[in-house]
Amino acid sequence: DQQVKQNSPSLSVQEGRISILNCDYTNSMFDYFLWYKKYPAEGPTFLISISSIKDKNEDGRFTVFLNKSAKHLSLHIVPSQPGDSAVYFCAPRYNFNKFYFGSGTKLNVKP
Amino acid sequence: SQTIHQWPATLVQPVGSPLSLECTVEGTSNPNLYWYRQAAGRGLQLLFYSVGIGQISSEVPQNLSASRPQDRQFILSSKKLLLSDSGFYLCAFTGQGYEQYFGPGTRLTVT
């Protein structure tokens, strides 16, 4: 959906380094922003989220930052591990029921 | 615990044939239910969502339809498949929280 854009289709980083995945959106009414991780031929799994009233949420190696004025969020993974290699989707929520997914960024963490 | 089942895992159907994909959820009551499609190399497109029995919201006009005959059952159907219906179909639900939980998906190939 064009309301959510992940402009980098792929990202390659070295093990131990930081991975930064970006997501831009246009709808100011999104109230929650979720990140999902997906392996091929499987359903996405929930990773981390952030409320629109916050600007940062941290969970272990994963941190999500939200810049509402820029309508931009990012997912930081530190340190990156080979098992993090997957496709990552950002998925803002609208009106309590609807989720819009970006096109995804394929992360490759090289050993 | 909450679980979601989706079948079949793969399906090959000729153009013009009917379709029925089923999804069931366990361990939660009155969930919101969703059908998504992921075309090759694309993100997840929301097709239908349901907030209760018999309540279906359609996001994309097409030759697909959805039904919710029971609280924890969601069915995706088509009377006549098109080549463009090929893709990876995912069922998901939200329970008490806002995170979506996805099923394993169905790979549909229309020939």
Side-chain angles (χ1 to χ4, degrees):
Chain A
D1 191 285
Q2 291 302 305
Q3 295 190 59
V4 184
K5 290 187 178 180
Q6 292 177 256
N7 291 318
S8 299
S10 63
L11 176 67
S12 185
V13 301
Q14 203 69 37
E15 180 179 6
R17 298 292 188 97
I18 184 172
S19 296
I20 300 176
L21 297 98
N22 295 304
C23 179
D24 296 292
Y25 62 95
T26 57
N27 191 336
S28 59
M29 299 301 291
F30 290 142
D31 63 344
Y32 262 99
F33 301 84
L34 294 81
W35 283 94
Y36 286 84
K37 179 179 179 180
K38 184 181 183 302
Y39 295 112
E42 293 183 9
T45 55
F46 171 73
L47 191 59
I48 191 171
S49 66
I50 188 168
S51 166
S52 60
I53 63 173
K54 296 186 176 181
D55 55 18
K56 178 182 176 182
N57 188 29
E58 189 172 357
D59 184 2
R61 296 186 297 114
F62 303 91
T63 303
V64 57
F65 296 92
L66 176 63
N67 183 335
K68 286 189 69 177
S69 60
K71 293 190 175 63
H72 175 84
L73 69 155
S74 61
L75 174 68
H76 293 213
I77 306 174
V78 182
S80 301
Q81 299 174 353
D84 296 329
S85 297
V87 177
Y88 290 79
F89 293 96
C90 68
R93 188 182 78 167
Y94 174 76
N95 199 26
F96 301 104
N97 296 320
K98 293 169 61 172
F99 297 82
Y100 291 94
F101 280 74
S103 54
T105 296
K106 186 175 183 179
L107 174 65
N108 179 34
V109 181
K110 296 177 288 187
Chain B
S1 62
Q2 301 174 56
T3 57
I4 179 169
H5 305 278
Q6 191 180 341
W7 65 91
T10 59
L11 191 60
V12 180
Q13 293 282 101
V15 169
S17 64
L19 172 74
S20 181
L21 302 180
E22 189 165 344
C23 171
T24 58
V25 177
E26 296 177 357
T28 186
S29 59
N30 196 31
N32 287 351
L33 297 170
Y34 303 82
W35 279 110
Y36 291 89
R37 177 172 61 201
Q38 183 181 24
R42 306 287 294 276
L44 274 67
Q45 180 186 35
L46 177 62
L47 301 176
F48 301 94
Y49 71 95
S50 172
V51 299
I53 296 174
Q55 300 178 63
I56 309 294
S57 296
S58 174
E59 289 298 299
V60 183
Q62 56 203 324
N63 69 320
L64 298 172
S65 62
S67 62
R68 185 171 178 172
Q70 301 179 44
D71 181 45
R72 288 168 287 180
Q73 183 185 29
F74 206 24
I75 298 172
L76 182 69
S77 304
S78 174
K79 292 182 179 178
K80 290 185 178 181
L81 283 169
L82 307 173
L83 286 174
S84 57
D85 292 324
S86 294
F88 191 53
Y89 288 81
L90 289 156
C91 181
F93 76 97
T94 55
Q96 300 301 315
Y98 51 81
E99 302 129 35
Q100 282 189 311
Y101 297 91
F102 284 82
T106 295
R107 172 70 59 190
L108 172 66
T109 302
V110 182
T111 60

